[in-house]
PDB file of all heavy atoms in Angstrom:
ATOM      1  N   LYS B 143      -1.368   5.517  27.996  1.00 84.00           N
ATOM      2  CA  LYS B 143      -0.088   5.053  28.526  1.00 84.00           C
ATOM      3  C   LYS B 143       0.188   3.586  28.240  1.00 84.00           C
ATOM      4  O   LYS B 143       1.296   3.108  28.486  1.00 84.00           O
ATOM      5  CB  LYS B 143      -0.018   5.315  30.031  1.00 84.00           C
ATOM      6  CG  LYS B 143      -0.046   6.796  30.381  1.00 84.00           C
ATOM      7  CD  LYS B 143       0.130   7.033  31.872  1.00 84.00           C
ATOM      8  CE  LYS B 143       0.132   8.524  32.179  1.00 84.00           C
ATOM      9  NZ  LYS B 143       0.297   8.789  33.620  1.00 84.00           N
ATOM     10  N   GLN B 144      -0.814   2.884  27.743  1.00 81.00           N
ATOM     11  CA  GLN B 144      -0.581   1.491  27.377  1.00 81.00           C
ATOM     12  C   GLN B 144       0.328   1.391  26.148  1.00 81.00           C
ATOM     13  O   GLN B 144       1.060   0.412  25.985  1.00 81.00           O
ATOM     14  CB  GLN B 144      -1.915   0.792  27.101  1.00 81.00           C
ATOM     15  CG  GLN B 144      -1.778  -0.694  26.795  1.00 81.00           C
ATOM     16  CD  GLN B 144      -3.125  -1.360  26.594  1.00 81.00           C
ATOM     17  OE1 GLN B 144      -4.168  -0.715  26.717  1.00 81.00           O
ATOM     18  NE2 GLN B 144      -3.113  -2.643  26.290  1.00 81.00           N
ATOM     19  N   TYR B 145       0.284   2.401  25.275  1.00 83.00           N
ATOM     20  CA  TYR B 145       1.061   2.361  24.039  1.00 83.00           C
ATOM     21  C   TYR B 145       2.090   3.485  23.943  1.00 83.00           C
ATOM     22  O   TYR B 145       3.053   3.360  23.176  1.00 83.00           O
ATOM     23  CB  TYR B 145       0.125   2.457  22.831  1.00 83.00           C
ATOM     24  CG  TYR B 145      -0.914   1.364  22.783  1.00 83.00           C
ATOM     25  CD1 TYR B 145      -2.234   1.612  23.158  1.00 83.00           C
ATOM     26  CD2 TYR B 145      -0.572   0.071  22.395  1.00 83.00           C
ATOM     27  CE1 TYR B 145      -3.191   0.614  23.116  1.00 83.00           C
ATOM     28  CE2 TYR B 145      -1.519  -0.935  22.357  1.00 83.00           C
ATOM     29  CZ  TYR B 145      -2.830  -0.660  22.722  1.00 83.00           C
ATOM     30  OH  TYR B 145      -3.763  -1.663  22.690  1.00 83.00           O
ATOM     31  N   TYR B 146       1.925   4.559  24.678  1.00 87.00           N
ATOM     32  CA  TYR B 146       2.830   5.694  24.580  1.00 87.00           C
ATOM     33  C   TYR B 146       3.284   6.132  25.973  1.00 87.00           C
ATOM     34  O   TYR B 146       2.558   5.954  26.955  1.00 87.00           O
ATOM     35  CB  TYR B 146       2.154   6.897  23.890  1.00 87.00           C
ATOM     36  CG  TYR B 146       1.586   6.581  22.530  1.00 87.00           C
ATOM     37  CD1 TYR B 146       0.244   6.252  22.375  1.00 87.00           C
ATOM     38  CD2 TYR B 146       2.392   6.614  21.400  1.00 87.00           C
ATOM     39  CE1 TYR B 146      -0.289   5.967  21.123  1.00 87.00           C
ATOM     40  CE2 TYR B 146       1.875   6.331  20.148  1.00 87.00           C
ATOM     41  CZ  TYR B 146       0.529   6.001  20.023  1.00 87.00           C
ATOM     42  OH  TYR B 146       0.018   5.721  18.784  1.00 87.00           O
ATOM     43  N   ARG B 147       4.483   6.672  26.033  1.00 86.00           N
ATOM     44  CA  ARG B 147       4.956   7.261  27.276  1.00 86.00           C
ATOM     45  C   ARG B 147       5.725   8.541  26.948  1.00 86.00           C
ATOM     46  O   ARG B 147       6.389   8.641  25.914  1.00 86.00           O
ATOM     47  CB  ARG B 147       5.844   6.295  28.069  1.00 86.00           C
ATOM     48  CG  ARG B 147       7.143   5.900  27.405  1.00 86.00           C
ATOM     49  CD  ARG B 147       7.859   4.850  28.230  1.00 86.00           C
ATOM     50  NE  ARG B 147       9.099   4.392  27.628  1.00 86.00           N
ATOM     51  CZ  ARG B 147      10.290   4.916  27.890  1.00 86.00           C
ATOM     52  NH1 ARG B 147      10.376   5.903  28.760  1.00 86.00           N
ATOM     53  NH2 ARG B 147      11.376   4.451  27.307  1.00 86.00           N
ATOM     54  N   GLU B 148       5.636   9.488  27.847  1.00 86.00           N
ATOM     55  CA  GLU B 148       6.261  10.789  27.628  1.00 86.00           C
ATOM     56  C   GLU B 148       7.729  10.741  28.030  1.00 86.00           C
ATOM     57  O   GLU B 148       8.095  10.167  29.057  1.00 86.00           O
ATOM     58  CB  GLU B 148       5.522  11.858  28.444  1.00 86.00           C
ATOM     59  CG  GLU B 148       6.010  13.264  28.174  1.00 86.00           C
ATOM     60  CD  GLU B 148       5.200  14.302  28.921  1.00 86.00           C
ATOM     61  OE1 GLU B 148       4.198  13.910  29.571  1.00 86.00           O
ATOM     62  OE2 GLU B 148       5.567  15.490  28.870  1.00 86.00           O
ATOM     63  N   LEU B 149       8.579  11.346  27.203  1.00 84.00           N
ATOM     64  CA  LEU B 149      10.015  11.387  27.460  1.00 84.00           C
ATOM     65  C   LEU B 149      10.398  12.773  27.960  1.00 84.00           C
ATOM     66  O   LEU B 149       9.899  13.790  27.458  1.00 84.00           O
ATOM     67  CB  LEU B 149      10.792  11.067  26.181  1.00 84.00           C
ATOM     68  CG  LEU B 149      10.535   9.689  25.555  1.00 84.00           C
ATOM     69  CD1 LEU B 149      11.308   9.551  24.256  1.00 84.00           C
ATOM     70  CD2 LEU B 149      10.935   8.582  26.526  1.00 84.00           C
ATOM     71  N   ASN B 150      11.287  12.788  28.916  1.00 82.00           N
ATOM     72  CA  ASN B 150      11.741  14.067  29.467  1.00 82.00           C
ATOM     73  C   ASN B 150      12.767  14.740  28.564  1.00 82.00           C
ATOM     74  O   ASN B 150      12.858  15.961  28.496  1.00 82.00           O
ATOM     75  CB  ASN B 150      12.334  13.872  30.863  1.00 82.00           C
ATOM     76  CG  ASN B 150      11.303  13.358  31.851  1.00 82.00           C
ATOM     77  OD1 ASN B 150      10.129  13.725  31.777  1.00 82.00           O
ATOM     78  ND2 ASN B 150      11.719  12.493  32.768  1.00 82.00           N
ATOM     79  N   ASP B 151      13.570  13.922  27.869  1.00 82.00           N
ATOM     80  CA  ASP B 151      14.622  14.463  27.013  1.00 82.00           C
ATOM     81  C   ASP B 151      14.427  13.969  25.583  1.00 82.00           C
ATOM     82  O   ASP B 151      13.766  12.958  25.342  1.00 82.00           O
ATOM     83  CB  ASP B 151      16.014  14.035  27.513  1.00 82.00           C
ATOM     84  CG  ASP B 151      16.294  14.541  28.921  1.00 82.00           C
ATOM     85  OD1 ASP B 151      15.862  15.673  29.219  1.00 82.00           O
ATOM     86  OD2 ASP B 151      16.907  13.799  29.709  1.00 82.00           O
ATOM     87  N   ASN B 152      15.055  14.686  24.660  1.00 81.00           N
ATOM     88  CA  ASN B 152      15.066  14.258  23.266  1.00 81.00           C
ATOM     89  C   ASN B 152      16.021  13.078  23.122  1.00 81.00           C
ATOM     90  O   ASN B 152      17.216  13.182  23.412  1.00 81.00           O
ATOM     91  CB  ASN B 152      15.508  15.418  22.369  1.00 81.00           C
ATOM     92  CG  ASN B 152      15.271  15.122  20.908  1.00 81.00           C
ATOM     93  OD1 ASN B 152      15.329  13.976  20.482  1.00 81.00           O
ATOM     94  ND2 ASN B 152      14.998  16.159  20.141  1.00 81.00           N
ATOM     95  N   MET B 153      15.481  11.943  22.643  1.00 85.00           N
ATOM     96  CA  MET B 153      16.274  10.715  22.580  1.00 85.00           C
ATOM     97  C   MET B 153      17.051  10.567  21.276  1.00 85.00           C
ATOM     98  O   MET B 153      17.767   9.589  21.101  1.00 85.00           O
ATOM     99  CB  MET B 153      15.345   9.511  22.741  1.00 85.00           C
ATOM    100  CG  MET B 153      14.600   9.453  24.069  1.00 85.00           C
ATOM    101  SD  MET B 153      15.717   9.189  25.458  1.00 85.00           S
ATOM    102  CE  MET B 153      16.259   7.527  25.135  1.00 85.00           C
ATOM    103  N   GLU B 154      16.922  11.523  20.357  1.00 86.00           N
ATOM    104  CA  GLU B 154      17.549  11.350  19.046  1.00 86.00           C
ATOM    105  C   GLU B 154      19.076  11.331  19.145  1.00 86.00           C
ATOM    106  O   GLU B 154      19.736  10.466  18.558  1.00 86.00           O
ATOM    107  CB  GLU B 154      17.090  12.466  18.106  1.00 86.00           C
ATOM    108  CG  GLU B 154      15.616  12.357  17.739  1.00 86.00           C
ATOM    109  CD  GLU B 154      15.171  13.504  16.864  1.00 86.00           C
ATOM    110  OE1 GLU B 154      15.954  14.469  16.715  1.00 86.00           O
ATOM    111  OE2 GLU B 154      14.042  13.438  16.336  1.00 86.00           O
ATOM    112  N   LYS B 155      19.631  12.276  19.885  1.00 86.00           N
ATOM    113  CA  LYS B 155      21.093  12.318  19.998  1.00 86.00           C
ATOM    114  C   LYS B 155      21.628  11.095  20.726  1.00 86.00           C
ATOM    115  O   LYS B 155      22.666  10.536  20.350  1.00 86.00           O
ATOM    116  CB  LYS B 155      21.516  13.599  20.731  1.00 86.00           C
ATOM    117  CG  LYS B 155      21.221  14.873  19.957  1.00 86.00           C
ATOM    118  CD  LYS B 155      21.718  16.099  20.702  1.00 86.00           C
ATOM    119  CE  LYS B 155      21.452  17.367  19.907  1.00 86.00           C
ATOM    120  NZ  LYS B 155      21.927  18.580  20.625  1.00 86.00           N
ATOM    121  N   LYS B 156      20.902  10.665  21.770  1.00 88.00           N
ATOM    122  CA  LYS B 156      21.332   9.479  22.503  1.00 88.00           C
ATOM    123  C   LYS B 156      21.269   8.237  21.623  1.00 88.00           C
ATOM    124  O   LYS B 156      22.188   7.399  21.638  1.00 88.00           O
ATOM    125  CB  LYS B 156      20.454   9.297  23.748  1.00 88.00           C
ATOM    126  CG  LYS B 156      20.871   8.134  24.628  1.00 88.00           C
ATOM    127  CD  LYS B 156      19.988   8.034  25.867  1.00 88.00           C
ATOM    128  CE  LYS B 156      20.415   6.849  26.740  1.00 88.00           C
ATOM    129  NZ  LYS B 156      19.549   6.731  27.942  1.00 88.00           N
ATOM    130  N   THR B 157      20.200   8.106  20.838  1.00 89.00           N
ATOM    131  CA  THR B 157      20.077   6.966  19.925  1.00 89.00           C
ATOM    132  C   THR B 157      21.191   6.983  18.888  1.00 89.00           C
ATOM    133  O   THR B 157      21.777   5.945  18.560  1.00 89.00           O
ATOM    134  CB  THR B 157      18.713   7.002  19.228  1.00 89.00           C
ATOM    135  OG1 THR B 157      17.675   7.024  20.214  1.00 89.00           O
ATOM    136  CG2 THR B 157      18.521   5.798  18.333  1.00 89.00           C
ATOM    137  N   LYS B 158      21.496   8.167  18.362  1.00 90.00           N
ATOM    138  CA  LYS B 158      22.582   8.296  17.377  1.00 90.00           C
ATOM    139  C   LYS B 158      23.914   7.885  17.984  1.00 90.00           C
ATOM    140  O   LYS B 158      24.719   7.172  17.336  1.00 90.00           O
ATOM    141  CB  LYS B 158      22.637   9.752  16.907  1.00 90.00           C
ATOM    142  CG  LYS B 158      23.539  10.011  15.720  1.00 90.00           C
ATOM    143  CD  LYS B 158      22.873   9.593  14.444  1.00 90.00           C
ATOM    144  CE  LYS B 158      23.538  10.204  13.232  1.00 90.00           C
ATOM    145  NZ  LYS B 158      24.969  10.251  13.208  1.00 90.00           N
ATOM    146  N   ARG B 159      24.171   8.286  19.230  1.00 90.00           N
ATOM    147  CA  ARG B 159      25.429   7.904  19.885  1.00 90.00           C
ATOM    148  C   ARG B 159      25.488   6.394  20.102  1.00 90.00           C
ATOM    149  O   ARG B 159      26.542   5.766  19.923  1.00 90.00           O
ATOM    150  CB  ARG B 159      25.572   8.638  21.227  1.00 90.00           C
ATOM    151  CG  ARG B 159      25.886  10.115  21.098  1.00 90.00           C
ATOM    152  CD  ARG B 159      26.387  10.672  22.423  1.00 90.00           C
ATOM    153  NE  ARG B 159      25.389  10.527  23.466  1.00 90.00           N
ATOM    154  CZ  ARG B 159      24.488  11.445  23.777  1.00 90.00           C
ATOM    155  NH1 ARG B 159      24.461  12.591  23.096  1.00 90.00           N
ATOM    156  NH2 ARG B 159      23.607  11.252  24.748  1.00 90.00           N
ATOM    157  N   ASN B 160      24.371   5.788  20.501  1.00 91.00           N
ATOM    158  CA  ASN B 160      24.348   4.338  20.713  1.00 91.00           C
ATOM    159  C   ASN B 160      24.630   3.580  19.418  1.00 91.00           C
ATOM    160  O   ASN B 160      25.311   2.552  19.415  1.00 91.00           O
ATOM    161  CB  ASN B 160      22.998   3.913  21.287  1.00 91.00           C
ATOM    162  CG  ASN B 160      22.793   4.388  22.710  1.00 91.00           C
ATOM    163  OD1 ASN B 160      23.770   4.664  23.433  1.00 91.00           O
ATOM    164  ND2 ASN B 160      21.549   4.499  23.148  1.00 91.00           N
ATOM    165  N   ILE B 161      24.089   4.090  18.299  1.00 91.00           N
ATOM    166  CA  ILE B 161      24.352   3.449  17.001  1.00 91.00           C
ATOM    167  C   ILE B 161      25.826   3.572  16.641  1.00 91.00           C
ATOM    168  O   ILE B 161      26.454   2.606  16.166  1.00 91.00           O
ATOM    169  CB  ILE B 161      23.458   4.077  15.908  1.00 91.00           C
ATOM    170  CG1 ILE B 161      21.994   3.729  16.166  1.00 91.00           C
ATOM    171  CG2 ILE B 161      23.881   3.602  14.527  1.00 91.00           C
ATOM    172  CD1 ILE B 161      21.033   4.384  15.203  1.00 91.00           C
ATOM    173  N   ASN B 162      26.410   4.731  16.877  1.00 91.00           N
ATOM    174  CA  ASN B 162      27.836   4.923  16.588  1.00 91.00           C
ATOM    175  C   ASN B 162      28.701   3.994  17.441  1.00 91.00           C
ATOM    176  O   ASN B 162      29.694   3.423  16.958  1.00 91.00           O
ATOM    177  CB  ASN B 162      28.227   6.373  16.827  1.00 91.00           C
ATOM    178  CG  ASN B 162      27.549   7.320  15.852  1.00 91.00           C
ATOM    179  OD1 ASN B 162      27.014   6.889  14.839  1.00 91.00           O
ATOM    180  ND2 ASN B 162      27.566   8.606  16.165  1.00 91.00           N
TER     181      ASN B 162
END
Side-chain angles (χ1 to χ4, degrees):
K143 296 184 179 180
Q144 184 177 358
Y145 302 103
Y146 305 96
R147 64 185 178 93
E148 186 176 355
L149 300 177
N150 297 325
D151 299 323
N152 192 329
M153 298 294 292
E154 292 177 350
K155 293 183 179 180
K156 183 178 180 181
T157 304
K158 190 78 163 42
R159 287 196 299 268
N160 291 337
I161 293 176
N162 294 345

